[in-house]
Amino acid sequence: MDLMKTYLDKSMEIDGKIPWSSLKYLIGEVMYGGRAIDNYDRRIINTYMDEYMGDFIFDSFQPFFFYKDKEVSYNIPKETHRDKFLEYIEELPLANTPCVFGLHSNAEIGYFTNAAKDMCSYMIELQPQTSAAEGGISREQFIEKVAVDIEGKLPVVFELDRIRKHLGEITPTAVVLLQELERFNILISKMKVSVATLQRALAGEVGMSAELDEIAKALFNGRSLDRGDVSRPTPSRVLVTG
C-alpha cells in the first residue's frame, strides 16, 4: 500500500491524472503476479483489473457499482474522511456469494463439497492411531486384515494375447477394449505388489516407506488413495482411428 500511495502522490503532482495502466500492472503483475500460476489465472486477474479500474468508477452521472442486489450494494462511498470509509467497510458482510465476484451461484457448490470432504477427512485423521485397548485388535492387525482381504479378492490379470486372438478382426472398439484391459492389468499388478509389500512391512521384513505408510493410513481410515501413481496406471496416449 505504501508503494501505491507513493506512486499515486507522484502522479497527482505531475499531471493530476490517475495512471490506470500503471496501476493495473503494479497490482496484477507485481503485487499478485507471483500468485498467478498459469495464463488462465493471469487472464482472470487482468479481467478484474479492466472491469473494476478506470475513470468510470468515479462517474457521477452513472454511478458505478462493483455489485448490487436487494441485500447488499458495493460502491465507492461519497464520504471523503478516512473514518467514514472504515465505517462503510465494517458494515459490509463478511461472507459473500459467488455473484459478488462475477461467478455463477453454483460456483460455491464445489467449495462446500470440498470443505465437507476435508472436514470429514480431518475428523477421521483425529481418531486414535495407536494400538487398541485390551480385547480389541491393534492398528497394524486391522490394516493387515484389510490388506489380506483385498489381496484375496483381486482377480487374475487378463491374458491379452488370448483375448486379441479371440477377437479376430481388430476394430476401433476392440482397440479401446484392449487398451482398457491393459490398464486394468497394470492396476491389478500394482495393487498386488502394494498389499503384499505392505504386509511384509507390517511384519518387519522390509522398511515402511512413505508410499506404504500412505497406503496403510488409507486402509485404516477407510478412504481411497489420493496418489495417482500408487493406485492408478498412467493413461494411454494411443489414438484410436477408424
Side-chain angles (χ1 to χ4, degrees):
M1 296 301 296
D2 292 337
L3 175 63
M4 299 289 295
K5 181 179 182 303
T6 301
Y7 192 83
L8 286 174
D9 289 341
K10 291 292 184 181
S11 300
M12 296 301 291
E13 291 176 1
I14 295 175
D15 54 10
K17 297 181 180 180
I18 300 177
W20 292 110
S21 298
S22 301
L23 289 178
K24 291 177 182 179
Y25 181 82
L26 285 175
I27 297 175
E29 299 294 338
V30 178
M31 298 176 63
Y32 293 97
R35 302 181 184 181
I37 60 176
D38 54 30
N39 291 331
Y40 292 107
D41 287 346
R42 187 169 288 104
R43 186 173 65 178
I44 291 176
I45 294 176
N46 291 333
T47 300
Y48 278 122
M49 295 295 102
D50 295 335
E51 186 72 17
Y52 298 135
M53 298 187 68
D55 290 329
F56 54 86
I57 65 176
F58 302 114
D59 191 346
S60 58
F61 295 99
Q62 186 176 0
F64 177 81
F65 294 90
F66 295 93
Y67 178 77
K68 182 180 181 181
D69 60 13
K70 297 179 180 179
E71 299 179 357
V72 65
S73 175
Y74 286 87
N75 62 336
I76 299 178
K78 297 180 180 179
E79 291 80 2
T80 58
H81 197 273
R82 175 179 177 274
D83 293 336
K84 295 294 183 179
F85 273 95
L86 294 178
E87 292 177 4
Y88 175 80
I89 294 174
E90 290 295 333
E91 294 175 356
L92 296 175
L94 295 178
N96 294 296
T97 64
C99 299
V100 175
F101 303 98
L103 303 175
H104 193 273
S105 57
N106 290 339
E108 63 182 354
I109 294 178
Y111 167 77
F112 287 124
T113 301
N114 293 332
K117 288 181 178 179
D118 291 339
M119 182 177 64
C120 293
S121 177
Y122 296 148
M123 292 177 64
I124 292 175
E125 292 289 342
L126 289 175
Q127 66 180 335
Q129 302 289 322
T130 57
S131 299
E134 184 177 356
I137 61 175
S138 65
R139 176 179 181 272
E140 289 72 18
Q141 290 173 333
F142 178 82
I143 295 173
E144 183 179 7
K145 181 180 178 180
V146 176
V148 171
D149 182 63
I150 293 176
E151 187 178 27
K153 294 179 179 179
L154 287 176
V156 297
V157 295
F158 292 96
E159 298 182 14
L160 297 181
D161 292 336
R162 291 185 58 185
I163 296 176
R164 190 179 291 106
K165 184 177 180 180
H166 178 74
L167 291 174
E169 182 182 358
I170 302 299
T171 61
T173 304
V175 171
V176 174
L177 173 62
L178 292 172
Q179 288 178 343
E180 294 301 320
L181 292 178
E182 182 181 2
R183 297 175 184 175
F184 199 71
N185 282 348
I186 297 174
L187 176 60
I188 294 174
S189 300
K190 284 192 173 185
M191 291 182 67
K192 285 184 177 180
V193 173
S194 297
V195 294
T197 308
L198 177 60
Q199 294 177 61
R200 295 182 59 192
L202 293 173
E205 299 177 2
V206 296
M208 181 70 74
S209 63
E211 180 178 313
L212 292 176
D213 187 56
E214 287 294 325
I215 297 175
K217 289 181 180 178
L219 295 182
F220 183 73
N221 294 327
R223 61 175 176 81
S224 60
L225 291 170
D226 296 330
R227 291 171 57 87
D229 56 339
V230 175
S231 59
R232 294 187 295 273
T234 304
S236 173
R237 295 182 179 274
V238 178
L239 297 178
V240 180
T241 57

